[in-house]
Amino acid sequence: MQLPQYNNKPFKSPVILTDTHTRTPNGAKPPTRTYAPKPLDLGNSRNIIKKRPIDDQTPPLTSQRSSKAISYYFTTYRKRSTKKNKTWDGDGICTKLNNGGLRFYKENGQFMGTSQGIPADNEIYEKIFSCAGFEVQLDSQICEEPEITRIAAILGKSTSASGVSSRSTSLSPSPPRIVASKVHKPNIAIPMVKKSTQFTQSTHLSSKTRTTSYSPLFDPAQVENALIMNRFEEADVDVIVDPILSRHLRPHQRVGVKFMYDCVLGLSRPADYEDDGTTVTKLEKMDELNGCLLADEMGLGKTLMTITLIWTLLKQTPIPSKTSPTMSGLFNHGVCGKVLVICPVTLIGNWKREFQKWLGLNRIGVLTLSTKSTPEKDKLEVRNFLKVQRSYQVLVIGYEKLLNVSDTLIECRSSIGLLVCDEGHRLKNSQSKTLNALKSLDVPRKVLLTGTPIQNDLSEFYTILSFLNDGILGSFPNFKRDFINPITASRDVNNKYNEIVQGKGAAKSQELIELTKKLTLRRTSDTIAKFLPPKTDIVLFCRPTSHQYKAFESVLMNTSINMSNMTYSSSLALITLFKKICNSPSLIRQDTFNLTNAESKNTITNTLEPDSGKLRVLLKILKNINTSYSEEKVVIVSNYTKTLDVIQRLLNTHNFSSVRLDGSTPSKERDKIVNTFNTVPSVFAFLLSAKSGGVGLNLIGASRLVLFDNDWNPAIDQQAMSRIHRDGQEKACFIYRLFSTGCIDEKIFQRQLMKNSLSSKFMGGPGNAKALESNDDLFAVEELKDLFTVLTDTLSNTHDLICSCEGYGDEQDDEQDDENTDQDCTKVEKIRAYKPGPSQFEGWTNAMQLQTSIQISQEESVAERAKLVRECLTGYKHVNPQNQLHLKDRLAIDWKADITFAFFKEYTL
Ligand SMILES: Nc1ncnc2c1ncn2[C@@H]1O[C@H](COP(=O)(O)OP(=O)(O)OP(=O)(O)O)[C@@H](O)[C@H]1O
């Protein structure tokens, strides 16, 4: 099916049908649409050109009849340039002469030139014509007689002013200066709309007798699987997503677009509202609703959904009757005129690429500010964008630059119809300057995008939702009293067994979920699993080297830290030191904490060989991929740039070509690096710093990813892992996660799994934002000590925690699972039975009681940890490499040495 195409031209309003329209059978006539007026600017007709070609056959015309001899078209034009991404400069008129030749005029009637040669009828709309230094494209034919006469008059008038001809001015009535509501409605034949559309040709009636009704920009009957937005009482016309976009949307994306549309238009969904993206519902308007939080997990296509929303709101409005036309009588936009997208600077290029990918920058003008420009230049650009330019509709700007230009934005804020904040969890702090600058813009419609869950910290959640929809959650003190206090109390470990507190907390959680359902949407990455190639998640426990054991020992022997009195925060430096040893003992040579407290540097030997188990396993994986899967590439992720240095040296030593992106990479280089990696076959590896580069990057050139170390926050690891397993990926993906056997790595892994499991209980979202900031709540002193315990006699502490199988490549079977769960439950129940009631711990406690309590809490915590970790590892196969050598090829790993145990799970359709 040939679809309508829209270039980046001034907006053509929705079709207006008069009451005289009659429907013709499909295909009976070429479609003719009636648009809002598009008169020529008579006021400017003084600025006409002086020269007119002698052989001019264009108007002036002496009669209606003669005007029919020539066809008239609306056009757009731009200066000729060699730029890659061009936008249009303005509107014009084209006349097609009897001999098929074309003449172009600017909007004010100024003659621009004549086309070279005579174009064939079927290319007349497709082709971009060159004339007198301009590029011109025909948009639509003007069919209505009065409009033709009027245009002919303007062209004639211009001619007369040029002194070449004056016939028309005396013969054609000069139309009045355009007042939007009074102008004639021209019929415009839209060439790109399917010939078979049911739009009818209208007959002109005098404006007195006309009652105006509208029909949508796209005919749903002609669009396969049309995406029709929800309706509301005041709407004059259906809004239908441009098929150029809707045909690409996945079902969850259709739902997402409708969700955002409803929110920004203030359409309130009833409590039982369900949407599969195919139904159209009539909704009530709700005044305080004008923004939403789209918190889908990464990779679900939030950018495409938002681009669809932007394009729809730029081009269409459900209430054209309320959109005032411009001076020239044109509706130059839909619901919104200009859109502001704010994102981390690293994602600006990505936004532009996505606009290019889905719409093409010929259709939509996307402005970005140069990273090099001065604040003054930026301000000028922003002012131009909002006040002058018609060729740009979207400004994408980094959070980093926002404050520089916020005065200008505020000054011109009335033009901004929609604000999009990507990675919007950055705005969770109510004191943030950026948030306050954005609030001052007072944009009527807002969309906030994030892949990072923020629902678990309720005051942050409040800040964000109140920014989006001022007043919707009431005042903060009331919100705190009604929701934060009871919910937080129920999460407190001390209230774990207080049924009243738990019950109230659960009820309030539920109430909050209901209240915010209208404004928030979060779907997990499982949603798109069926559109992606299979993925295998491989968890590898790597045997530490003797260097590592020595380094651990030396640190523990020499450290002056008081283990009996530590908190997570006070032991952070030691934790970091342990994590470094897990990565490579060479890293602790420059560690400040080590130098001042542990003095274990002398134990580190200089060696070119990998000095940690994980480095050895990494090297084997790389060699294996390089030889056995030579067309595949690999991304290697670490949280530490120093670790990336070590890995980079290893790659260089073994002649693996690589690129690298970390916090120090200038933003203008990032796109280039990503493109090089994705497109140049000889680049084998991509070294990525998880925190500075994980978000938004698209590394589908690789199908293998090694997560060399892990973060406490599972969301950061998830972000990194989804860089390769995302839409557009065609190969099966393998994710290798490396942990040092029996060391702190494993403990962090267990905590990650627990956090995932705990936080997904609230509002359905995995991850835990609060835990990102503080881990103190998750660790008792004994548990902290446990972090620094290095177990030398285990194949995997995590496996020991959850299972006692031999590792023959089976999943944990249900029977065994039940058995283990029963054991855990009995253990937990037994502990609960012994647990002293709250009153027994009030005031002083005797030593015996205290001892019992510590022991109980330790046992309890191990039992609960085991239960949660087991839950999270459901579906993983347990492998002892000594027993399962045949898996070597399947997972591209050399099992024998260095790997003590493995879990793996294959995600297929
Ligand atoms: N319907 C689709 N068909 C094909 N590719 C798609 C589709 N939707 C999205 N994509 C592609 O999938 C990739 C991921 O999309 P996008 O970056 O929008 O995800 P996201 O939800 O914003 O993730 P993140 O939070 O990681 O940025 C992009 O390359 C995008 O072009």
Side-chain angles (χ1 to χ4, degrees):
M1 182 179 97
Q2 191 195 6
L3 294 166
Q5 289 177 3
Y6 289 86
N7 285 334
N8 180 27
K9 299 170 184 178
F11 177 65
K12 307 293 185 292
S13 67
V15 183
I16 300 168
L17 294 176
T18 65
D19 54 1
T20 55
H21 280 79
T22 47
R23 301 227 164 225
T24 55
N26 253 2
K29 280 213 168 211
T32 307
R33 286 177 155 200
T34 311
Y35 273 86
K38 177 158 183 173
L40 300 180
D41 184 350
L42 298 178
N44 289 338
S45 57
R46 262 182 259 116
N47 308 329
I48 44 170
I49 51 156
K50 299 276 181 273
K51 277 194 226 151
R52 186 169 178 89
I54 306 298
D55 65 342
D56 195 354
Q57 296 178 47
T58 48
L61 298 163
T62 50
S63 68
Q64 298 283 332
R65 207 162 177 273
S66 58
S67 74
K68 277 186 184 159
I70 295 171
S71 312
Y72 293 80
Y73 299 84
F74 287 127
T75 65
T76 39
Y77 67 85
R78 63 185 167 218
K79 279 229 168 71
R80 194 182 299 144
S81 96
T82 49
K83 276 203 283 184
K84 235 170 147 190
N85 298 317
K86 303 182 214 184
T87 51
W88 297 103
D89 296 338
D91 290 330
I93 292 291
C94 165
T95 55
K96 185 170 163 214
L97 310 178
N98 288 335
N99 67 0
L102 301 175
R103 288 182 183 287
F104 298 108
Y105 302 82
K106 286 191 179 170
E107 202 176 18
N108 60 7
Q110 180 183 350
F111 177 68
M112 295 162 73
T114 311
S115 69
Q116 306 293 315
I118 295 178
D121 274 355
N122 62 359
E123 64 173 13
I124 189 164
Y125 296 109
E126 301 289 333
K127 202 170 162 175
I128 295 185
F129 299 95
S130 283
C131 80
F134 289 98
E135 290 176 337
V136 192
Q137 190 172 29
L138 269 63
D139 181 9
S140 51
Q141 188 175 356
I142 307 164
C143 302
E144 204 170 65
E145 278 301 336
E147 186 65 9
I148 292 174
T149 310
R150 201 170 57 75
I151 287 167
I154 293 163
L155 300 185
K157 204 172 163 194
S158 83
T159 313
S160 113
S162 72
V164 178
S165 168
S166 62
R167 280 179 295 164
S168 73
T169 41
S170 55
L171 296 169
S172 300
S174 185
R177 183 146 171 64
I178 306 304
V179 180
S181 56
K182 289 187 185 161
V183 289
H184 296 295
K185 315 278 192 230
N187 281 345
I188 302 168
I190 294 285
M192 298 305 194
V193 176
K194 273 293 288 171
K195 288 260 191 294
S196 59
T197 101
Q198 292 195 338
F199 293 132
T200 54
Q201 190 162 19
S202 77
T203 4
H204 175 68
L205 273 189
S206 90
S207 47
K208 270 189 204 153
T209 55
R210 175 182 303 163
T211 44
T212 307
S213 64
Y214 299 83
S215 73
L217 194 55
F218 301 96
D219 180 357
Q222 300 303 318
V223 176
E224 199 181 324
N225 202 9
L227 178 54
I228 308 172
M229 297 292 111
N230 284 331
R231 300 174 177 134
F232 54 102
E233 185 65 40
E234 301 83 348
D236 300 323
V237 66
D238 271 349
V239 168
I240 293 164
V241 171
D242 192 334
I244 200 170
L245 291 170
S246 62
R247 67 183 163 180
H248 294 292
L249 296 176
R250 312 261 193 230
H252 75 276
Q253 293 173 327
R254 295 166 67 93
V255 172
V257 172
K258 283 184 73 185
F259 160 76
M260 290 193 279
Y261 178 88
D262 285 349
C263 289
V264 296
L265 262 79
L267 307 185
S268 170
R269 298 174 161 198
D272 58 352
Y273 181 86
E274 300 259 330
D275 196 355
D276 60 0
T278 58
T279 50
V280 188
T281 314
K282 194 165 176 183
L283 297 174
E284 296 286 319
K285 278 276 224 179
M286 177 180 171
D287 281 347
E288 29 331 354
L289 183 62
N290 43 37
C292 66
L293 170 65
L294 180 62
D296 284 343
E297 276 188 9
M298 51 251 139
L300 263 64
K302 293 186 283 294
T303 321
L304 170 58
M305 287 184 255
T306 311
I307 287 175
T308 307
L309 178 78
I310 292 174
W311 183 241
T312 307
L313 296 183
L314 281 174
K315 291 288 175 187
Q316 299 182 58
T317 167
I319 330 183
S321 54
K322 289 207 178 144
T323 309
S324 30
T326 60
M327 279 298 286
S328 67
L330 262 179
F331 290 111
N332 64 0
H333 57 74
V335 173
C336 303
K338 300 275 174 175
V339 177
L340 184 61
V341 177
I342 319 276
C343 63
V345 66
T346 50
L347 295 185
I348 295 178
N350 192 57
W351 270 95
K352 206 160 178 183
R353 264 196 308 279
E354 291 280 307
F355 272 110
Q356 165 69 41
K357 175 171 173 181
W358 300 112
L359 280 170
L361 296 176
N362 243 0
R363 282 196 181 79
I364 188 162
V366 180
L367 177 69
T368 56
L369 302 182
S370 155
T371 41
K372 280 193 198 144
S373 65
T374 59
E376 279 60 43
K377 205 163 165 241
D378 287 341
K379 284 181 187 170
L380 194 68
E381 291 244 39
V382 170
R383 186 170 293 112
N384 272 343
F385 166 75
L386 290 173
K387 286 285 181 207
V388 187
Q389 282 158 347
R390 284 197 308 170
S391 38
Y392 292 109
Q393 293 84 38
V394 182
L395 170 65
V396 185
I397 182 169
Y399 282 103
E400 297 74 0
K401 277 207 172 186
L402 181 75
L403 292 178
N404 287 349
V405 296
S406 62
D407 288 352
T408 316
L409 285 169
I410 291 170
E411 190 188 311
C412 316
R413 67 185 170 201
S414 59
S415 316
I416 308 170
L418 173 70
L419 171 68
V420 176
C421 303
D422 192 8
E423 302 300 332
H425 49 272
R426 286 174 171 233
L427 303 174
K428 64 191 179 184
N429 175 0
S430 59
Q431 303 308 316
S432 122
K433 280 191 184 155
T434 310
L435 176 69
N436 289 317
L438 289 174
K439 271 187 185 166
S440 319
L441 295 182
D442 202 17
V443 179
R445 291 163 213 92
K446 302 186 197 93
V447 171
L448 196 136
L449 308 174
T450 180
T452 307
I454 40 181
Q455 297 98 322
N456 289 318
D457 186 305
L458 294 178
S459 45
E460 290 168 357
F461 192 45
Y462 175 89
T463 304
I464 284 187
L465 289 193
S466 306
F467 162 61
L468 292 168
N469 299 288
D470 197 17
I472 208 154
L473 294 180
S475 72
F476 185 69
N478 288 354
F479 182 78
K480 189 161 187 279
R481 183 196 59 212
D482 296 342
F483 294 103
I484 299 187
N485 292 346
I487 295 172
T488 318
S490 71
R491 289 191 204 164
D492 189 326
V493 273
N494 296 320
N495 291 323
K496 218 168 177 179
Y497 307 111
N498 184 331
E499 280 173 16
I500 297 173
V501 175
Q502 289 299 321
K504 190 159 181 212
K508 284 291 169 185
S509 284
Q510 194 52 38
E511 194 182 326
L512 188 56
I513 291 169
E514 290 302 326
L515 193 67
T516 55
K517 210 162 86 178
K518 285 190 176 61
L519 333 167
T520 56
L521 185 63
R522 179 164 177 83
R523 280 85 51 94
T524 62
S525 36
D526 296 347
T527 317
I528 47 160
K530 60 175 174 291
F531 301 109
L532 298 180
K535 173 180 92 172
T536 307
D537 187 18
I538 309 161
V539 179
L540 296 174
F541 298 94
C542 311
R543 177 176 290 116
T545 60
S546 56
H547 294 302
Q548 286 175 287
Y549 283 135
K550 268 192 219 148
F552 284 128
E553 196 180 341
S554 167
V555 169
L556 284 172
M557 301 290 282
N558 296 308
T559 300
S560 47
I561 198 162
N562 181 356
M563 290 256 183
S564 58
N565 190 23
M566 59 175 147
T567 62
Y568 173 79
S569 314
S570 72
S571 56
L572 199 55
L574 191 59
I575 289 175
T576 309
L577 191 60
F578 265 59
K579 284 168 80 178
K580 284 183 180 171
I581 299 174
C582 284
N583 284 359
S584 164
S586 68
L587 290 169
I588 70 171
R589 216 176 279 134
Q590 280 127 33
D591 184 280
T592 336
F593 176 81
N594 183 47
L595 294 175
T596 47
N597 294 282
E599 296 163 6
S600 57
K601 57 189 177 296
N602 296 332
T603 62
I604 309 304
T605 47
N606 266 323
T607 164
L608 272 179
E609 282 309 299
D611 61 356
S612 74
K614 292 204 292 186
L615 282 172
R616 289 182 179 182
V617 171
L618 172 69
L619 186 58
K620 283 187 178 148
I621 291 173
L622 296 179
K623 283 183 174 169
N624 221 335
I625 296 172
N626 198 247
T627 49
S628 308
Y629 306 90
S630 54
E631 76 294 355
E632 294 194 44
K633 297 184 178 207
V634 61
V635 176
I636 305 164
V637 188
S638 169
N639 284 290
Y640 303 100
T641 45
K642 290 267 180 317
T643 299
L644 288 178
D645 292 344
V646 172
I647 297 175
Q648 197 164 12
R649 278 199 296 275
L650 187 73
L651 294 183
N652 291 344
T653 313
H654 291 270
N655 292 325
F656 291 125
S657 66
S658 63
V659 288
R660 170 170 170 161
L661 194 152
D662 60 31
S664 65
T665 313
S667 43
K668 60 179 187 320
E669 296 282 304
R670 292 178 176 230
D671 275 357
K672 226 191 294 166
I673 294 173
V674 170
N675 278 341
T676 306
F677 178 70
N678 283 335
T679 55
V680 178
S682 59
V683 183
F684 172 60
F686 192 111
L687 294 172
L688 175 68
S689 147
K691 283 187 186 128
S692 50
V695 181
L697 282 188
N698 186 353
L699 300 176
I700 53 172
S703 49
R704 314 238 169 196
L705 181 140
V706 180
L707 202 60
F708 193 75
D709 46 54
N710 51 353
D711 191 272
W712 293 106
N713 182 7
I716 291 190
D717 288 356
Q718 282 298 336
Q719 270 283 0
M721 289 190 278
S722 56
R723 295 309 104 207
I724 65 162
H725 194 240
R726 48 175 36 223
D727 239 314
Q729 176 61 264
E730 281 163 10
K731 296 193 176 101
C733 289
F734 292 81
I735 314 278
Y736 304 87
R737 295 200 255 170
L738 308 190
F739 303 101
S740 302
T741 308
C743 303
I744 194 167
D745 269 3
E746 274 209 64
K747 311 287 168 49
I748 296 175
F749 177 52
Q750 292 160 20
R751 299 284 153 187
Q752 273 195 346
L753 296 175
M754 287 167 69
K755 275 190 208 176
N756 246 343
S757 165
L758 283 171
S759 60
S760 52
K761 293 205 166 85
F762 184 61
M763 298 192 80
N768 184 337
K770 185 168 170 57
L772 219 179
E773 269 102 53
S774 163
N775 287 292
D776 278 351
D777 54 338
L778 281 162
F779 291 102
V781 174
E782 290 308 314
E783 289 179 304
L784 275 173
K785 274 192 201 166
D786 180 46
L787 281 180
F788 304 115
T789 310
V790 177
L791 301 166
T792 52
D793 57 348
T794 178
L795 297 178
S796 158
N797 174 241
T798 312
H799 183 248
D800 296 347
L801 186 69
I802 63 168
C803 177
S804 53
C805 79
E806 296 291 321
Y808 279 99
D810 300 320
E811 273 179 49
Q812 199 176 20
D813 62 37
D814 288 346
E815 220 169 90
Q816 192 187 359
D817 209 18
D818 290 346
E819 215 171 89
N820 282 324
T821 311
D822 287 349
Q823 278 170 16
D824 293 336
C825 293
T826 329
K827 226 188 252 174
V828 174
E829 288 312 317
K830 223 160 77 188
I831 291 163
R832 277 183 195 161
Y834 279 108
K835 195 160 177 94
S839 57
Q840 285 168 269
F841 274 100
E842 277 162 16
W844 294 100
T845 310
N846 73 33
M848 268 301 287
Q849 264 179 328
L850 185 64
Q851 187 52 42
T852 320
S853 119
I854 289 175
Q855 201 181 326
I856 285 170
S857 77
Q858 272 176 36
E859 279 185 48
E860 183 181 23
S861 105
V862 171
E864 291 214 336
R865 196 188 326 163
K867 191 160 170 262
L868 292 172
V869 170
R870 186 175 309 113
E871 259 170 42
C872 292
L873 290 176
T874 307
Y876 279 78
K877 300 208 160 76
H878 298 197
V879 185
N880 178 341
Q882 303 309 322
N883 299 334
Q884 286 298 300
L885 293 177
H886 68 275
L887 283 173
K888 170 179 172 247
D889 290 337
R890 193 148 138 218
L891 305 180
I893 320 171
D894 185 351
W895 284 122
K896 275 171 282 178
D898 305 317
I899 295 172
T900 55
F901 207 84
F903 295 117
F904 76 94
K905 182 170 179 173
E906 285 164 320
Y907 295 82
T908 43
L909 277 186

